[in-house]
Amino acid sequence: MQNVKKVGISLIGQTLNLAPADKKLYALRDTISCTESIPLISSSIMSKKIAAGASKIVLDVTCGNGAFMKNKDQAIELANMMKKIGELAQKETVCVITNMNEPLGRAVGNSLEVIEAIKALQGEIEEDVKEVVFTLGAYMLKLAGKGENIEENKQKIEEQIKNKKAFEKCKEWVQAQGGNISYLENLGKWEKAKYILPVIAQKEGYVVNLDAQKVGEISMRLGAGRIKKEDIIDPVVGVILEKKIGDKVEKGQILSYIYANHEEVGKQEQLKLQQVYEIGEEKIEKSNILAII
């Protein structure tokens, strides 16, 4: 709370006294095979926001093969229910439905994604990341009474990146929470994976599909996530995507890189990632923002 007052930002995880019934409801959902119950999902998400004291709430509701909601209709149903809960609690709520049929940005993995976020704050921001983040931010500004025009709000956000104030605020926030800001100032300090293996295109064309769930599973098997609860996460492994849906590809071009600390595992996932890429003859048009609820 002191950090929010002083810096304006705090990053927290759920504590035992924040919506304590939520964990019990999760366990019950698993036991009775109700993990896909939209009323239970929406109440789980909103209970934590309301309990934390938020007066205005902007939610990123992902949908697609890499998200819990697999299609737009499901995502809209979930968004409408969360918005209704917000209204009942007298909290103004906006839901931005975003596309998760392919990974957002180019990095998949723990430190790889943090490095991508740092670069974004320094102005090196991927277009799909920019579209989603700027839209969410623009609605946050609107709800906070800082500007009614969404496009003008996006320009305000861009200006804060260009003038380096956003990056300076990030350093201030990290320092306030006990982090080492030298890792923000010098990206060369980050530890790298032992093996960086390229995934090569076998034919020319356009990327027509890049299944986000399968890319996530590859990253998990490399060690970026847990297969079993007791597994130890490796912060440096993962995937960097050089080509994404809609991109033109020549035969022999690098599609992506596997970052691995075990060569054999890396080579196995290298082959699997090559199979995840679907190359077709026609360019696919994609949209990252699917709806605003």
Side-chain angles (χ1 to χ4, degrees), residues 120-134:
L121 283 170
Q122 293 173 329
E124 196 180 325
I125 185 166
E126 297 296 329
E127 279 305 313
D128 56 350
V129 175
K130 181 177 178 178
E131 187 181 356
V132 171
V133 171
F134 281 28

Side-chain angles (χ1 to χ4, degrees), residues 77-88:
E77 186 183 350
L78 175 64
N80 281 324
M81 192 163 288
M82 291 191 294
K83 193 174 174 74
K84 181 73 173 173
I85 292 169
E87 288 169 2
L88 289 168

Side-chain angles (χ1 to χ4, degrees), residues 38-55:
I38 284 177
L40 288 172
I41 295 167
S42 54
S43 58
S44 172
I45 292 166
M46 291 302 289
S47 64
K48 293 188 278 286
K49 311 292 181 284
I50 293 163
S55 56

Side-chain angles (χ1 to χ4, degrees), residues 91-237:
K91 314 288 187 185
E92 193 175 357
T93 305
V94 170
C95 298
V96 179
I97 297 176
T98 61
N99 187 349
M100 194 52 77
N101 277 321
E102 69 171 348
L104 190 66
R106 298 199 179 273
V108 184
N110 297 279
S111 64
L112 296 176
E113 290 184 39
V114 175
I115 291 165
E116 184 175 52
I118 295 165
K119 287 180 177 178
L121 283 170
Q122 293 173 329
E124 196 180 325
I125 185 166
E126 297 296 329
E127 279 305 313
D128 56 350
V129 175
K130 181 177 178 178
E131 187 181 356
V132 171
V133 171
F134 281 28
T135 302
L136 291 165
Y139 277 95
M140 289 170 75
L141 287 174
K142 184 178 179 181
L143 264 58
K146 301 290 185 182
E148 284 294 311
N149 188 297
I150 294 301
E151 291 308 312
E152 286 178 10
N153 289 348
K154 289 178 184 177
Q155 288 168 14
K156 290 175 188 174
I157 294 167
E158 188 153 31
E159 181 56 35
Q160 295 303 306
I161 292 173
K162 284 180 178 175
N163 65 22
K164 308 296 183 187
K165 285 184 179 178
F167 183 54
E168 290 305 315
K169 178 58 71 174
C170 178
K171 288 198 288 185
E172 187 186 350
W173 156 56
V174 169
Q175 197 160 31
Q177 294 203 207
N180 184 347
I181 62 167
S182 68
Y183 282 84
L184 301 178
E185 296 166 330
N186 179 10
L187 294 180
K189 288 191 70 170
W190 290 82
E191 186 185 341
K192 292 189 173 56
K194 289 178 187 173
Y195 305 98
I196 299 174
L197 310 172
V199 175
I200 308 296
Q202 300 302 299
K203 63 177 184 178
E204 67 172 297
Y206 293 93
V207 180
V208 296
N209 192 24
L210 182 58
D211 190 305
Q213 181 169 339
K214 289 178 181 175
V215 175
E217 287 168 354
I218 286 167
S219 187
M220 181 182 68
R221 288 192 295 268
L222 288 165
R226 292 185 181 91
I227 297 172
K228 304 187 299 294
K229 191 177 179 180
E230 58 272 17
D231 287 349
I232 296 170
I233 285 175
D234 186 341
V236 304
V237 301

Side-chain angles (χ1 to χ4, degrees), residues 269-286:
E269 300 309 324
Q270 183 185 24
L271 290 171
K272 286 174 183 171
L273 186 54
Q274 194 171 60
Q275 292 162 4
V276 170
Y277 272 93
E278 289 183 35
I279 311 294
E281 293 181 4
E282 292 187 19
K283 183 174 181 175
I284 300 283
E285 296 299 327
K286 59 182 179 180

